[in-house]
Every structure is written in C-alpha cells, then in structure tokens.
C-alpha cells in the first residue's frame, strides 16, 4: 500500500502510516457530544422490539424501535430544556409574561425596561452561572456613568424579581439582589407643597376654561398619582355617585374607589363631555403622557399663573406629584380618619402616608398641636 500523503510504501494491515501518521482507512467518527444535562440515546442489550432508550439526568424516559425515533424524541426535549440551563434573557422574557409585570403601570414597565438594558452584556449567560460580582459590576458601571441611587434601586428591583422567579424554579438558591452594594443617596432637594394662594390661582384659571389647571386641580382634590389619573377611562367615572375607579402601583392602590369632591365636579364633567375613551386626554383625544404633561403643560401653567416652582439653584421644587403630597398633608392636618385616607390614596398602611407624604411645615399649626397631650 502507498500512503496518500507521504507516498511511502507501507504494509496493508497498517491503519496509520508509520512515517507521517496519516490514516490509511476511513475512521469511524464519534457522534458530537451533547451538553451536560440534555440527555442521551443508548441501545439496550438483548433482542427487543424497542431497543433504543432515552435517558436524562440518569433517569429512563422512553424507548423506541429505531435510533432516529429516539433522537427525534430527545430533540423535542430541547424545547423544554431543564430550567437550570435557562439564560438570563429567557428568564426575563418569562417574567414579562407574568401577571406581576402585566399589571404594572406603563411608567413602571418603562423603568424596568431601562434597567434591563443594563444587563445587555450578560443576558446570554446561564442564570445559574451568574453571581454577585457580575451584577455588582453593572451597578459600579452605572455609578461611573453618573447615575444615582434611584436608577441603581430600579436595577436591584428588577434583579430581585428575576432572582425570585429563578429560586421558585430551583435554578439558584439565593436572591443576589440582596447582596448588592448601592451608592449612597444624594441629599434630596427640598420640595414644597401647593400653598393656599397657589390653589386660588389654579381655581381662577380653571374657571376661565384652562384645561391644564383643571387637570392639576383634579390631581390635587383626588390625591391620585399623575399616571393613575391619566390611565382612568371615562367608563370608570361615576359622576352621579361621585366616585372614580382607578389606581395602580400596589395591591392596596389598584382599582380603588376614589371620591369626587364638589370642587372638581365641573372639571370632570367638562372632560366627560368630550366623549373620549380616557377621562383626561390631550386636545387631540390621545392619552396623556406623564412626562410630556410635566414639561409641556404643568410648568408652563405655573409660569403663566406666577406660581414659583424652582429654588435659587434653578431646580424644580414643585412637581405634579406634589399635588398628592398636598392632599395627604392637608388630610392629616384635618384629622381625616386614617383608614379612610389609606383607602383613598391607596397606601397599605397609615405609616406610609405619614412618613413619606406628610410635609407639614406650618409653625402655627405645629405650635397648637404641641400644646396637646400633656
């Protein structure tokens, strides 16, 4: 026999050329090995009608007459692969299909989408292979990019939801979000509530037909979040019975009954008369975007009415959300029943209303209250 590579004469029984090492006969190639955990096909001993068996995680699954049938069956298991092989992107897509995500407000979903973009570099990795250092590295990069604690907390919140789902599927055994180190919160700028003079100016403007002033007053006299109000459909407004069905964000706040005060009945009636799907809408009939409203309507309205909304540094200290703060602060000062206030504003506890929303700074009121109790 002559070697096809080095052209030397070698013995016929040689499987390889002793000079150059080339194979002289076709070699049987071993099949490509599957990744660990995806199972295997093997032939059972003896004479059987179904000798080809499928095994996965050391457990027998089924047997088939031919190897091809067994391979096809094993291939279908790839589509429902072991959860432990799930990538971070697959886990995220699975979470987005849950009721927890679907019930979130549009703004909350947008916040989670922004946080998810930060995981772009690791989304193809298997969930079980990702540990605290990989996630902490993203937090550190966010800080280097100039993002504050609020953005980092949104990232941690998203990661916590993903980890909880992975823990339920027994992919991981801990919530890595709890182990992240976030930057210190920057000192918050002091914001203010609407004053009595501000409210009077808004009432005069609304009575003159200013629809932006009407919207702000509806926010003020219902205590609703701007996103909640702009999501209310006309069919959810019961004007004769004086209540609105609306709310979002938490279980306590979702689909709650919100009383309509007499002060805003004309304004709600005005918007209902336009026969739109949404109660509050743009002049063209579209749903109002909260961020656009703040920039294009809210601040220009305050400027028109001479209501100061910035501090000496030019920072905004009066936002649409301060209407909610004003409502809750005034309700606490007026001694509204705690159980009624929490139901109206959608808080799970009265402590939340007091700790986060009560901005009482009226010294005369505080002096009078200080006289009580002793």
């Amino acid at each position: 026999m002559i070697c096809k590579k080095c052209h030397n004469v070698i013995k016929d029984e040689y499987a390889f050329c002793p000079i150059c090492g080339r194979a002289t006969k076709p070699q049987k190639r071993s099949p490509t090995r599957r990744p660990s955990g995806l199972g295997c096909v093997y032939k059972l001993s003896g004479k059987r009608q179904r000798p080809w068996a499928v095994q996965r995680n050391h457990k027998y699954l089924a047997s088939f007459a031919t190897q091809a049938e067994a391979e096809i069956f094993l291939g279908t298991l790839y589509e429902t692969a072991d959860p432990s092989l799930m990538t971070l992107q697959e886990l995220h897509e699975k979470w987005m299909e849950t009721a927890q995500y679907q019930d979130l407000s549009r703004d909350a979903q947008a916040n989670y989408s922004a946080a998810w973009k930060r995981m772009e570099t690791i989304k193809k990795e298997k969930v079980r292979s990702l540990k605290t250092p990989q996630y902490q590295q993203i937090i550190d990069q966010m800080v280097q990019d100039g993002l504050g604690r609020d953005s980092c907390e949104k990232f941690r919140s998203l990661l916590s939801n993903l980890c909880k789902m992975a823990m339920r599927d027994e992919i991981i055994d801990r919530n890595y979000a709890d182990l992240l180190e976030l930057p210190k919160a920057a000192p918050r700028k002091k914001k203010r509530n609407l004053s009595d003079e501000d409210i009077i100016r808004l009432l005069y403007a609304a009575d003159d037909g200013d629809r932006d002033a009407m919207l702000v007053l509806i926010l003020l006299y219902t205590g609703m979040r701007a996103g909640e109000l702009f999501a209310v459909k006309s069919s959810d407004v019961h004007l004769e019975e004086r209540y609105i069905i609306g709310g979002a964000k938490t279980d306590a706040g979702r689909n709650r009954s919100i009383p309509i005060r007499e002060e805003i009945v004309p304004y709600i009636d005005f918007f209902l008369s336009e026969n739109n799907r949404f109660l509050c809408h743009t002049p063209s009939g579209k749903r109002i975007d909260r961020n656009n409203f703040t920039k294009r309507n809210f601040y220009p309205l305050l400027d028109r009415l001479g209501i100061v909304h910035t501090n000496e540094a030019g920072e905004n200290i009066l936002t649409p959300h301060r209407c909610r703060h004003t409502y809750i602060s005034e309700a606490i000062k007026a001694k509204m029943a705690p159980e009624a206030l929490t139901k109206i504003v959608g808080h799970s506890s009265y402590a939340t209303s007091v700790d986060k929303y009560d901005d009482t700074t009226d010294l005369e009121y505080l002096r009078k209250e200080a006289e009580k109790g002793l």
Side-chain angles (χ1 to χ4, degrees):
M1 183 193 321
I2 299 177
C3 176
K4 293 183 179 180
K5 184 175 181 181
C6 64
H7 305 292
N8 287 300
V9 178
I10 58 177
K11 292 183 179 181
D12 292 342
E13 60 268 22
Y14 285 172
F16 296 91
C17 175
I19 300 172
C20 68
R22 181 187 174 107
T24 60
K25 299 177 182 178
Q27 298 296 307
K28 184 178 180 181
R29 301 182 67 176
S30 59
T32 303
R33 185 178 179 85
R34 294 183 182 86
S36 177
L38 290 184
C40 67
V41 173
Y42 63 96
K43 191 172 185 179
L44 300 170
S45 61
K47 293 184 178 181
R48 304 167 183 259
Q49 289 184 341
R50 302 162 67 88
W52 293 97
V54 175
Q55 177 178 288
R56 186 174 175 185
N57 294 332
H58 306 290
K59 293 182 180 180
Y60 166 82
L61 297 179
S63 59
F64 300 87
T66 65
Q67 183 179 3
E69 291 175 344
E71 295 284 356
I72 292 173
F73 173 78
L74 186 59
T76 61
L77 298 182
Y78 282 75
E79 300 175 2
T80 56
D82 193 327
S84 64
L85 302 175
M86 185 179 293
T87 65
L88 186 62
Q89 183 173 17
E90 292 170 340
L91 180 65
H92 180 252
E93 291 171 352
K94 182 178 178 181
W95 176 70
M96 290 177 67
E97 295 174 356
T98 63
Q100 178 191 11
Y101 177 82
Q102 297 293 332
D103 290 343
L104 291 173
S105 66
R106 188 165 58 176
D107 289 336
Q109 290 182 359
N111 288 334
Y112 278 127
S113 295
W116 170 247
K117 290 179 181 178
R118 287 283 166 178
M119 299 189 188
E120 181 69 26
T121 57
I122 60 172
K123 68 180 184 181
K124 298 294 184 182
E125 300 292 330
K126 290 183 174 61
V127 175
R128 66 179 181 181
S129 69
L130 294 169
K131 309 296 180 185
T132 305
Q134 288 96 323
Y135 298 124
Q136 185 63 51
Q137 188 175 8
I138 295 177
I139 290 289
D140 295 342
Q141 184 61 52
M142 293 173 70
V143 175
Q144 291 180 20
D145 292 344
L147 297 177
R149 185 180 177 89
D150 286 347
S151 297
C152 294
E153 285 180 344
K154 290 183 176 69
F155 175 87
R156 181 170 63 180
S157 177
L158 171 62
L159 178 60
S160 179
N161 286 320
L162 296 179
C163 285
K164 287 176 181 177
M165 174 166 280
M167 291 170 68
R168 287 196 295 269
D169 290 343
E170 298 185 352
I171 300 174
I172 57 177
D173 60 359
R174 69 193 66 185
N175 190 334
Y176 292 107
D178 296 336
L179 306 176
L180 294 179
E181 295 182 4
L182 271 58
K184 292 183 179 179
R188 291 185 178 272
K189 55 192 174 187
K190 182 65 177 177
K191 295 182 179 179
R192 74 175 186 87
N193 289 346
L194 289 163
S195 66
D196 291 342
E197 183 182 350
D198 297 333
I199 296 172
I200 290 172
R201 293 187 182 190
L202 288 166
L203 287 168
Y204 276 123
D207 289 343
D208 288 340
D210 191 318
R211 66 189 296 129
D212 293 333
M214 295 182 192
L215 286 173
V216 173
L217 288 169
I218 294 174
L219 286 172
L220 176 64
Y221 283 102
T222 60
M224 298 180 75
R225 302 174 181 90
E228 292 177 334
L229 176 61
F230 299 154
V232 170
K233 297 176 182 178
S234 296
S235 58
D236 293 327
V237 179
H238 304 272
L239 194 57
E240 291 185 3
E241 293 83 3
R242 297 288 193 271
Y243 74 95
I244 297 172
I245 299 295
K249 193 173 183 179
T250 64
D251 290 338
R254 197 172 292 116
N255 295 327
R256 63 186 188 271
S257 298
I258 303 163
I260 299 174
R261 291 178 50 154
E262 288 298 325
E263 294 92 336
I264 58 173
V265 169
Y267 313 141
I268 292 179
D269 188 45
F270 168 80
F271 286 110
L272 285 175
S273 67
E274 296 184 338
N275 296 318
N276 192 271
R277 180 187 176 196
F278 294 101
L279 169 63
C280 300
H281 48 271
T282 65
S284 61
K286 296 181 180 179
R287 176 175 173 172
I288 298 174
D289 179 83
R290 178 174 59 86
N291 294 326
N292 287 342
F293 173 78
T294 302
K295 297 175 183 177
R296 301 175 185 176
N297 303 82
F298 184 73
Y299 290 132
L301 169 67
L302 300 186
D303 290 334
R304 291 197 305 272
L305 301 182
I307 298 176
V308 178
H309 60 86
T310 57
N311 57 19
E312 294 178 354
E315 300 172 318
N316 286 310
I317 56 175
L318 192 56
T319 64
H321 197 62
R322 300 311 293 186
C323 295
R324 180 173 169 85
H325 278 256
T326 304
Y327 178 89
I328 294 175
S329 292
E330 293 299 319
I332 292 173
K333 285 172 62 176
K335 295 183 172 55
M336 182 187 291
E339 60 273 16
L341 178 58
T342 53
K343 287 184 179 297
I344 291 172
V345 299
H347 284 160
S348 58
S349 69
Y350 188 63
T352 302
S353 303
V354 174
D355 294 342
K356 293 189 176 182
Y357 287 86
D358 185 15
D359 303 299
T360 302
T361 56
D362 186 338
L363 283 177
E364 186 61 32
Y365 168 77
L366 292 177
R367 286 193 190 99
K368 290 181 180 179
E369 291 298 304
E371 298 295 329
K372 300 177 181 179
L374 290 177

